[in-house]
Amino acid sequence: MSEKKGRVFSGARPTGRQHLGNYLGAIQNYVALQDEYECVYCIVDIHALTTMETTVGLRQNTFEMALDWLAAGIRPEDSIIFIQSYVPEVTELHTYLSMVTPLGKLTDLPTFKDKIRQHPNNVNYGLVGYPVLMSADIVLYKAGLVPVGVDQAPHIEFTRETVRSFNYRYQADVLIEPQMKVTQVPKVIGIDGQQKMSKSLDNHIEIAATPEETRKRIMMMVTDPQRIRRTDPGDPDVCNVFSMHKIFSSKEEVDQIDVECRRAGIGCVDCKKMLAKNMNDYFVPFRERRADFEKKPDQVWEILDDGAKRARVIAQATMEEVRAAIGIR
Ligand code: TRP
């Protein structure tokens, strides 16, 4: 581990089976970072509670997400993969960090304003503190680098400021200011051809879907809206099926579609069938590994327990320093 470049931490709320947007936007990047960094990946179930009115399905969603992460190539022998609530030190650190956090800073955050718009009837105390808990995640594990989507930039900036406030107030250099690593991926558009892929909009394609389900979802994809008849020429530059071909198909096929679509040489149905085949081929190894893990749920829970144990060693060491800096122990 010591020859690696530093520690990465990232977290995601347990949203169950992951879709192409999650995969291309985050998971692939998590997997790649393992070669160069010591990685800590966390399923942030406490964060999920901030917007949940019932926890029915929470455990199942946590498990399904862990399966997807593991099958996609997060390696528990190299990285730590764990569930946030299994390391309760994070809630203690959250409390301490809250003492150096001006309330107005939290209520001014654009992410907070979005959340209250989405959940106007559940604006709870925990929701206001969401970024404080996220800061606690990052600094508890002394992560130098946090790979996240650009929407999380205000939270990373907030974390950096919190670290400075804490270190300044207690005159101790115990917490590390993390750097954000923006995941450079094109926004993945849903099958509606318009909005960002998301489960709540039901415009998503699950990576663990069967080949048949995948094909069905692809056949539902909205293509170039100007292309109405089969004989109309299409514009691949505005077609989401074409953007996906660029990810899942060979260069030859992409070039061929680019030419043929523009002169109505290929129709959308055939174009989608090609995409379905290529996407399904791409996910064959992933789906095999996932099916293996699914047969051994105990092993998956063991991996998560072991991850929490290893995470807790780091967390407890940080907390010793934090309490000493504050002067309470
Ligand atoms: N807020 C992040 C999101 O919604 C999830 C998250 C929680 C996180 N804690 C984190 C991301 C720590 C990175 C680091 O995507």
Side-chain angles (χ1 to χ4, degrees):
M1 285 233 176
S2 49
E3 70 283 6
K4 294 209 171 157
K5 285 204 262 174
R7 190 175 289 151
V8 156
F9 182 97
S10 196
R13 275 167 294 164
T15 48
R17 290 174 161 234
Q18 300 291 284
H19 57 64
L20 286 175
N22 305 129
Y23 180 76
L24 300 168
I27 302 173
Q28 256 191 342
N29 193 39
Y30 288 180
V31 172
L33 285 166
Q34 296 177 113
D35 298 333
E36 287 181 49
Y37 296 91
E38 186 191 335
C39 297
V40 184
Y41 296 128
C42 182
I43 301 176
V44 294
D45 57 346
I46 311 178
H47 276 109
L49 295 176
T50 60
T51 54
M52 288 177 88
E53 286 172 48
T54 160
T55 51
V56 173
L58 179 59
R59 241 180 116 69
Q60 184 63 22
N61 282 341
T62 299
F63 181 72
E64 296 276 357
M65 191 158 98
L67 280 181
D68 280 342
W69 282 8
L70 291 168
I74 291 181
R75 303 185 293 269
E77 52 303 352
D78 295 326
S79 308
I80 295 180
I81 163 173
F82 77 109
I83 301 172
Q84 187 183 32
S85 64
Y86 285 33
V87 183
E89 281 78 3
V90 75
T91 61
E92 183 188 356
L93 184 56
H94 164 269
T95 302
Y96 297 148
L97 295 181
S98 74
M99 310 304 169
V100 296
T101 303
L103 182 58
K105 209 183 214 174
L106 293 172
T107 52
D108 280 349
L109 282 169
T111 43
F112 177 67
K113 291 177 183 161
D114 288 345
K115 285 276 160 69
I116 55 180
R117 228 171 285 129
Q118 290 158 12
H119 307 272
N121 300 317
N122 188 16
V123 184
N124 58 73
Y125 176 56
L127 184 65
V128 185
Y130 183 108
V132 186
L133 183 59
M134 177 161 162
S135 307
D137 279 332
I138 297 166
V139 303
L140 184 58
Y141 301 102
K142 299 209 166 169
L145 207 60
V146 186
V148 277
V150 69
D151 62 306
Q152 293 297 308
H155 289 160
I156 304 300
E157 192 45 37
F158 172 84
T159 303
R160 294 167 57 83
E161 289 168 9
T162 305
V163 165
R164 291 199 289 270
S165 304
F166 181 94
N167 287 347
Y168 181 75
R169 172 163 313 174
Y170 300 113
Q171 288 299 301
D173 257 338
V174 292
L175 303 184
I176 294 176
E177 247 184 84
Q179 299 283 336
M180 168 162 176
K181 188 177 192 313
V182 183
T183 318
Q184 292 296 1
V185 274
K187 183 153 123 184
V188 182
I189 302 296
I191 62 172
D192 55 8
Q194 306 238 317
Q195 284 175 278
K196 188 172 151 183
M197 187 173 283
S198 100
K199 195 168 176 167
S200 53
L201 294 172
D202 192 24
N203 67 355
H204 62 303
I205 298 177
E206 288 175 355
I207 55 176
T210 63
E212 186 46 30
E213 281 162 3
T214 306
R215 201 189 59 85
K216 270 197 201 139
R217 296 293 274 181
I218 290 176
M219 296 320 277
M220 284 162 66
M221 282 177 76
V222 173
T223 56
D224 172 6
Q226 303 293 322
R227 189 177 190 193
I228 295 157
R229 286 164 304 230
R230 167 67 181 82
T231 49
D232 294 340
D235 180 1
D237 296 332
V238 300
C239 180
N240 193 28
V241 174
F242 187 66
S243 354
M244 297 233 178
H245 269 295
K246 287 197 241 170
I247 299 165
F248 294 104
S249 304
S250 67
K251 173 144 190 346
E252 292 73 46
E253 282 173 311
V254 171
D255 291 346
Q256 185 200 353
I257 293 164
D258 198 1
V259 171
E260 294 303 325
C261 173
R262 285 178 209 278
R263 64 171 182 219
I266 180 174
C268 295
V269 172
D270 286 330
C271 183
K272 287 175 174 180
K273 283 185 183 157
M274 279 170 79
L275 177 62
K277 168 159 193 329
N278 294 342
M279 200 186 283
N280 281 327
D281 286 349
Y282 177 92
F283 283 112
V284 165
F286 165 84
R287 287 171 186 165
E288 280 173 6
R289 282 195 297 270
R290 196 182 197 281
D292 280 344
F293 279 117
E294 228 175 337
K295 278 184 227 135
K296 299 175 275 186
D298 292 351
Q299 192 194 329
V300 174
W301 286 112
E302 250 168 57
I303 289 172
L304 295 169
D305 277 335
D306 176 65
K309 264 191 214 125
R310 286 153 61 202
R312 207 156 182 203
V313 172
I314 307 171
Q316 284 174 339
T318 305
M319 289 317 293
E320 295 286 330
E321 293 178 341
V322 164
R323 293 180 203 117
I326 299 173
I328 47 177
R329 244 187 252 178

